Amino acid sequence: MPRCQIDKTTIVIASGNAHKIQEIKTIMGPIGIRWLSGNTLDIGQVDESGSSYLENAVIKATAYSRASGKLALADDSGLEVDALGGLPGIRSNRLFGENKTQEEKILELLRRLKQVPFEKRTARFICHAVLLSDEQLLVSVQGVLDGVILSESRGKAGFGYDPVFLVPGIGKTLAQMSDAEKNICSHRGSAMRQIRDFLLRWQDQTW
Ligand code: IMP
């Protein structure tokens, strides 16, 4: 499709994670875009074989854009724990056992950090987000959230490693925050607000 015919009004969110899709829609707010949820498309498991968050985000966006014929928004995120040399990193979903429950993955993370004192349990969530059209990367951004890994879970909200990720400035884990609180400080919130700003500028341009 030539670039002048890009449909700027409909974007597929390239993820099968219903929680993440809802987070992204909430962060974007009412900006005149029709969002298609990636988990309603039958595209199966995307092979996230890239060697960086950016590569994985592009792989996901390409798969969903091809399947839907629409602009695609993808993110790839991960947890980097300093005491583990940055692991699990881009393999956050797989390193501690692909078929394990999230609770089991958290227990494995805590087991590996058992001897590590609080002040050395620093970590960060990283999120790379991309917008891709017709195989072309339109924009790529990064968001980061610094925190500390606790030695036990606190809170029930969110997903993934949220219950053990303390945000020191706020004094709560991500799982103790409301969706709105998490979105204000989170890696994904920061990345998606940059994408939203791009979209608002881009919608006004005619190509
Ligand atoms: P994804 O590949 O971007 O979906 O993320 C990979 C993994 O990183 C997820 O399965 C989670 O374990 C972890 N992760 C990413 N973002 C978050 C978050 O906001 N909270 C908790 N865990 C997250």
Side-chain angles (χ1 to χ4, degrees):
M1 190 193 288
R3 296 185 102 200
C4 59
Q5 287 178 20
I6 291 174
D7 172 10
K8 295 180 175 180
T9 62
T10 305
I11 300 178
V12 60
I13 301 177
S15 174
N17 176 339
H19 202 111
K20 187 195 273 193
I21 291 171
Q22 191 48 51
E23 267 190 22
I24 293 174
K25 285 184 184 172
T26 306
I27 295 162
M28 290 299 176
I31 56 167
I33 301 279
R34 189 167 76 95
W35 297 103
L36 298 181
S37 300
N39 59 350
T40 62
L41 300 178
D42 187 20
I43 76 155
Q45 187 72 26
V46 179
D47 181 22
E48 296 178 29
S49 53
S51 56
S52 66
Y53 298 108
L54 177 60
E55 272 183 45
N56 278 339
V58 169
I59 289 170
K60 288 187 245 187
T62 304
Y64 281 81
S65 176
R66 277 185 191 153
S68 63
K70 302 290 179 198
L71 268 168
L73 168 62
D75 87 322
D76 194 58
S77 32
L79 174 67
E80 299 188 348
V81 180
D82 293 325
L84 301 179
L87 292 177
I90 62 163
R91 296 166 64 213
S92 289
N93 199 23
R94 287 157 283 162
L95 185 68
F96 297 150
E98 200 156 6
N99 298 320
K100 290 203 174 130
T101 64
Q102 188 57 43
E103 224 161 61
E104 289 168 332
K105 290 180 197 174
I106 288 178
L107 286 176
E108 176 58 19
L109 170 65
L110 297 185
R111 191 188 66 74
R112 293 188 190 206
L113 290 176
K114 207 165 178 177
Q115 307 300 331
V116 181
F118 182 80
E119 64 277 11
K120 295 210 168 127
R121 297 171 77 110
T122 48
R124 69 207 45 80
F125 274 119
I126 310 269
C127 172
H128 273 254
V130 302
L131 197 62
L132 186 133
S133 165
D134 201 18
E135 315 267 324
Q136 289 201 46
L137 188 57
L138 297 173
V139 64
S140 133
V141 299
Q142 180 186 261
V144 179
L145 173 64
D146 288 305
V148 177
I149 305 298
L150 295 179
S151 50
E152 60 188 18
S153 291
R154 280 192 210 158
K156 298 256 178 274
F159 69 98
Y161 295 97
D162 282 351
V164 288
F165 191 92
L166 177 77
V167 183
I170 300 179
K172 288 183 186 178
T173 67
L174 288 174
Q176 290 177 303
M177 296 184 192
S178 66
D179 292 350
E181 277 179 299
K182 177 178 176 183
N183 292 339
I184 286 171
C185 67
S186 82
H187 50 309
R188 191 165 302 101
S190 161
M192 290 303 158
R193 280 189 291 277
Q194 294 174 63
I195 295 279
R196 186 184 62 192
D197 291 347
F198 169 85
L199 281 169
L200 290 171
R201 286 195 306 273
W202 190 52
Q203 276 172 331
D204 291 338
Q205 290 169 13
T206 46
W207 286 20

